[in-house]
Every structure is written in structure tokens, then in C-alpha cells.
Amino acid sequence: MLLFLLLLMPLTLILFLYKKPLRTVFPLIFIGFACGILFCGFNGFFMFSHRIIYYSFARTFFSLFLSQTLVPIVVLYGLFFAISHDELAYKTDAFVPLIFTFYAIFLPYIVISETESVYSGFEILLKPALYGSMLVLLGFLTSSLFTAFFDKDVKKAVLLSLVALVFLAGPSVIESLYFLSSNLFLVFLTSGIYVGCVLLYLFFTKIVFTKLSEKA
């Protein structure tokens, strides 16, 4: 029952990295794994893991967004980016192995620790699909986003930042709908639209990249 939740992130990571040299990605995978274990261990021993749902969409959204998306990604990747003395290309490529490995530990822990009785289909199927889609998109956006910032291409940087922010917020918005709305059709519809938009973005990006490569 939990196989999809447990295996989605590791299998997606393998697809991302199957052509990458192991010696370059293994340290990042180890760091992400260690941070995931340390975070979950600290949270399990010292924090209250019971899920708190507010009777407010905004409060529920911000609680989920901060705790399950923004803080983990910004703190972990931000610290790595600030501490690492490697080249920019390596730092941008580090996002996928580092964050995916962290979420491979973090996401199952969140679902399992916060579930009191029976796992719902949303928690073991839709939630990992949403977060997996989010990380896949961010993995593709990271390089372009940092290049735009360092090249001082303001329009491109703002556009990519807005796209990243929208897709960062997506899983928390949909999960808030799931907790506060009795309309499961709306939850399934928004989940399908979200994952579909990620797939369309990747599809069109691949087409554009292929055409540019052929012209070069």
C-alpha cells in the first residue's frame, strides 16, 4: 500500500541521474539522505507530529507550505549553495540529487507519522505525485533561473521565479483543498491539472531544446 509513496522519489531520482557519474552525485545523495534522517529523527523526538488542520484555508496553506515545502528546500539547498565553493554549474545540478534524496526520507515520514489510522488515497498516491512533479519541474528550472539572475536578465528571472513560486505552492494549495473541502472531484481535478501542467512544460521544453540543438 505504501510502495508508491516509498519508491516514487528514489525511482525518479534514478531516472534523473542515470547518465551522471556516481562520484559526482554520491556526496550529494549522502548529504540529502543524512539531512533527511537527522530532520526526521529530531522531529520525531522533540516535535509534536500530530497533524493540525485550521478552519481557515489561508492558515492551513501557509502551515503546509512553510513546513513541507519552503523551509526544507530553502534551508537545505540555501545552506548548500552558500557553503559550497564549487562552480555555479555544479551547484545548480546539485538541486536534484540533494533535494530528491531529502524528500525520499522526509515525505514518507510526514505521511506515516501524521496518519493515525487508515492511509488515504491522497496521502499515498496523490501527495507523492504532486511533490514529485514539483521537484521535477524545479530540477529543470534551477539552471535557467540562476543563469538569468547572474546574466541580469530581469524579465526572464522574474518570469521563471513566478513559475517556480506557483509550482512550489501548488501541492500545499491542493492539500489544503483536500483537508477543508468535501469535494474530492475538485481535489482530483486540480491534482490532474497540476501534474499535467508539469508534463506539458517538460514536453515543450524538450521540443524547444531539441530544435535549438539541431540549429546549433
Side-chain angles (χ1 to χ4, degrees):
M1 185 169 63
L2 295 175
L3 281 179
F4 186 78
L5 171 67
L6 296 173
L7 295 180
L8 178 64
M9 294 293 180
L11 292 177
T12 308
L13 179 61
I14 290 171
L15 290 175
F16 255 101
L17 303 178
Y18 78 100
K19 287 186 178 181
K20 300 284 185 179
L22 183 61
R23 65 180 181 275
T24 62
V25 299
F26 180 77
L28 300 169
I29 291 173
F30 177 79
I31 293 171
F33 181 82
C35 289
I37 293 293
L38 288 172
F39 177 87
C40 295
F42 177 85
N43 195 71
F45 278 106
F46 300 108
M47 303 296 287
F48 183 62
S49 61
H50 180 70
R51 181 188 294 125
I52 299 175
I53 304 300
Y54 302 99
Y55 291 101
S56 163
F57 182 87
R59 290 187 70 186
T60 301
F61 163 74
F62 281 111
S63 175
L64 292 170
F65 182 61
L66 290 174
S67 63
Q68 297 186 21
T69 303
L70 191 64
V71 171
I73 291 178
V74 169
V75 171
L76 180 56
Y77 186 62
L79 283 175
F80 170 81
F81 198 91
I83 294 172
S84 174
H85 297 292
D86 296 292
E87 295 179 353
L88 178 62
Y90 181 82
K91 290 182 179 182
T92 54
D93 288 343
F95 180 88
V96 169
L98 186 67
I99 302 300
F100 259 94
T101 309
F102 175 82
Y103 269 88
I105 306 298
F106 173 68
L107 195 62
Y109 168 79
I110 290 295
V111 171
I112 293 170
S113 66
E114 292 184 352
T115 302
E116 296 181 351
S117 55
V118 180
Y119 297 106
S120 68
F122 178 86
E123 291 171 316
I124 62 175
L125 295 175
L126 287 184
K127 184 167 182 172
L130 291 172
Y131 277 88
S133 300
M134 176 190 75
L135 295 180
V136 166
L137 183 73
L138 292 177
F140 279 96
L141 277 180
T142 305
S143 178
S144 300
L145 184 58
F146 279 113
T147 300
F149 273 115
F150 282 98
D151 289 346
K152 297 181 180 180
D153 189 339
V154 177
K155 291 183 179 179
K156 186 176 180 181
V158 170
L159 177 62
L160 291 176
S161 297
L162 289 175
V163 171
L165 184 60
V166 168
F167 280 94
L168 273 171
S172 300
V173 169
I174 295 170
E175 190 167 5
S176 299
L177 284 174
Y178 169 72
F179 286 136
L180 297 176
S181 172
S182 58
N183 190 343
L184 290 179
F185 175 76
L186 180 62
V187 174
F188 288 123
L189 178 64
T190 51
S191 300
I193 292 173
Y194 182 86
V195 175
C197 286
V198 172
L199 294 176
L200 282 174
Y201 177 88
L202 299 179
F203 177 73
F204 285 115
T205 300
K206 183 177 180 181
I207 290 177
V208 172
F209 180 77
T210 302
K211 288 183 177 179
L212 290 174
S213 300
E214 289 175 353
K215 290 180 179 180

Coordinates of all heavy atoms in Angstrom, one line a residue, residues 4 8-9 13-14 22 41 51 58 65-66 74 87 93 100 121 129 139 145 154 173 177 196 211-213 216:
F4 N 4.1 3.0 -3.5 CA 4.2 4.2 -4.4 C 4.8 5.4 -3.7 O 5.7 6.1 -4.2 CB 2.8 4.6 -4.9 CG 2.8 5.7 -5.9 CD1 3.2 5.4 -7.3 CD2 2.5 7.0 -5.6 CE1 3.2 6.5 -8.2 CE2 2.5 8.0 -6.5 CZ 2.9 7.7 -7.8
L8 N 8.5 6.3 -5.3 CA 8.4 7.3 -6.3 C 9.7 8.2 -6.4 O 10.3 8.4 -7.5 CB 7.2 8.2 -6.2 CG 7.0 9.3 -7.2 CD1 6.8 8.7 -8.6 CD2 5.9 10.2 -6.9
M9 N 10.1 8.8 -5.3 CA 11.2 9.7 -5.3 C 12.5 9.0 -5.7 O 13.3 9.5 -6.5 CB 11.3 10.4 -3.9 CG 10.2 11.3 -3.5 SD 10.2 12.8 -4.6 CE 8.7 13.6 -3.9
L13 N 14.6 9.9 -9.1 CA 16.0 10.3 -8.9 C 16.9 9.5 -9.8 O 17.8 10.0 -10.5 CB 16.4 10.2 -7.5 CG 17.9 10.6 -7.2 CD1 18.1 12.1 -7.5 CD2 18.2 10.4 -5.7
I14 N 16.7 8.2 -9.9 CA 17.5 7.3 -10.7 C 17.3 7.7 -12.2 O 18.3 7.7 -12.9 CB 17.1 5.8 -10.5 CG1 17.5 5.4 -9.1 CG2 17.7 4.9 -11.6 CD1 17.0 4.0 -8.7
L22 N 28.8 8.6 -10.8 CA 28.4 8.3 -9.4 C 29.3 9.1 -8.5 O 28.8 9.6 -7.5 CB 28.6 6.8 -9.1 CG 28.2 6.4 -7.7 CD1 26.7 6.7 -7.5 CD2 28.5 4.9 -7.5
G41 N 14.5 12.4 12.6 CA 14.9 12.0 13.9 C 14.6 13.1 14.9 O 14.0 12.8 16.0
R51 N -1.1 16.0 13.1 CA -1.5 17.0 12.1 C -2.5 18.0 12.7 O -3.5 17.6 13.3 CB -2.1 16.3 10.9 CG -2.5 17.2 9.8 CD -3.3 16.5 8.7 NE -2.4 15.5 8.0 CZ -2.7 14.2 7.9 NH1 -3.8 13.8 8.4 NH2 -1.9 13.4 7.2
A58 N -6.3 29.8 4.3 CA -5.0 30.6 4.3 C -4.1 30.0 5.4 O -2.9 29.8 5.1 CB -5.2 32.1 4.5
F65 N 2.7 24.9 3.5 CA 3.7 25.4 2.6 C 5.0 25.7 3.3 O 6.1 25.3 2.8 CB 3.2 26.7 2.0 CG 4.1 27.3 1.0 CD1 4.5 26.6 -0.2 CD2 4.6 28.6 1.1 CE1 5.3 27.2 -1.1 CE2 5.5 29.2 0.2 CZ 5.8 28.5 -0.9
L66 N 5.0 26.3 4.5 CA 6.2 26.6 5.2 C 6.9 25.3 5.7 O 8.1 25.2 5.5 CB 5.9 27.5 6.4 CG 5.5 28.9 6.0 CD1 5.1 29.7 7.3 CD2 6.6 29.7 5.3
V74 N 14.4 25.7 1.0 CA 15.2 26.9 1.2 C 16.4 26.7 2.1 O 17.5 27.1 1.9 CB 14.4 28.1 1.6 CG1 15.2 29.3 2.0 CG2 13.4 28.5 0.5
E87 N 31.7 25.4 -8.6 CA 31.2 26.3 -9.6 C 29.7 26.3 -9.7 O 29.0 25.4 -9.1 CB 31.7 25.8 -11.0 CG 33.3 25.8 -11.1 CD 33.7 25.3 -12.5 OE1 32.9 24.8 -13.2 OE2 34.9 25.4 -12.7
D93 N 23.2 21.9 -10.6 CA 23.0 20.4 -10.8 C 22.8 19.7 -9.5 O 22.2 18.6 -9.5 CB 24.2 19.8 -11.6 CG 24.2 20.2 -13.0 OD1 23.2 20.7 -13.5 OD2 25.3 20.1 -13.7
F100 N 15.9 15.7 -3.9 CA 15.1 14.5 -4.1 C 15.4 13.5 -3.0 O 14.5 12.8 -2.5 CB 15.4 13.9 -5.5 CG 14.4 14.2 -6.5 CD1 14.5 15.3 -7.3 CD2 13.3 13.4 -6.7 CE1 13.6 15.6 -8.3 CE2 12.3 13.7 -7.6 CZ 12.5 14.8 -8.5
G121 N -6.1 7.6 0.0 CA -5.5 7.6 -1.3 C -4.7 8.9 -1.7 O -3.7 8.8 -2.4
A129 N 2.8 12.2 -5.8 CA 2.8 12.6 -7.2 C 2.9 14.1 -7.4 O 3.7 14.6 -8.3 CB 1.5 12.1 -7.9
G139 N 13.8 21.0 -10.7 CA 15.1 20.5 -11.1 C 15.4 21.0 -12.5 O 16.6 21.3 -12.8
L145 N 17.1 29.5 -14.1 CA 16.8 30.6 -13.2 C 18.0 31.2 -12.7 O 18.2 32.5 -12.7 CB 16.0 30.0 -12.0 CG 15.5 31.0 -10.9 CD1 14.6 32.1 -11.5 CD2 14.7 30.3 -9.8
V154 N 16.5 40.5 -16.3 CA 15.4 40.7 -15.3 C 14.1 40.1 -15.7 O 13.4 39.4 -14.9 CB 15.2 42.2 -15.1 CG1 14.1 42.5 -14.1 CG2 16.5 42.8 -14.6
V173 N -1.5 24.1 -1.8 CA -2.9 24.5 -2.2 C -3.8 23.3 -2.3 O -4.9 23.3 -1.7 CB -2.9 25.4 -3.5 CG1 -4.3 25.6 -4.0 CG2 -2.1 26.7 -3.3
L177 N -7.1 22.1 0.0 CA -8.4 21.8 -0.5 C -8.9 20.4 0.0 O -10.0 20.3 0.3 CB -8.4 21.8 -2.1 CG -8.3 23.2 -2.8 CD1 -8.2 23.0 -4.3 CD2 -9.6 24.0 -2.5
G196 N -0.4 17.5 -15.0 CA -0.4 17.7 -16.4 C 0.3 18.9 -16.9 O 1.0 18.9 -17.9
K211 N 15.1 21.6 -30.9 CA 15.2 22.4 -32.1 C 16.5 23.3 -32.0 O 17.2 23.5 -33.0 CB 14.0 23.3 -32.2 CG 12.7 22.5 -32.6 CD 11.5 23.4 -32.8 CE 10.3 22.6 -33.3 NZ 9.1 23.4 -33.5
L212 N 16.7 23.8 -30.8 CA 17.9 24.7 -30.7 C 19.2 23.9 -30.9 O 20.2 24.4 -31.5 CB 17.9 25.3 -29.3 CG 16.9 26.4 -29.0 CD1 16.9 26.8 -27.5 CD2 17.1 27.6 -29.9
S213 N 19.2 22.6 -30.4 CA 20.4 21.8 -30.6 C 20.6 21.5 -32.1 O 21.7 21.4 -32.5 CB 20.2 20.5 -29.8 OG 20.1 20.7 -28.4
A216 N 22.1 24.5 -33.8 CA 23.5 24.7 -33.4 C 24.4 23.7 -34.1 O 25.5 24.0 -34.4 CB 23.7 24.5 -31.9

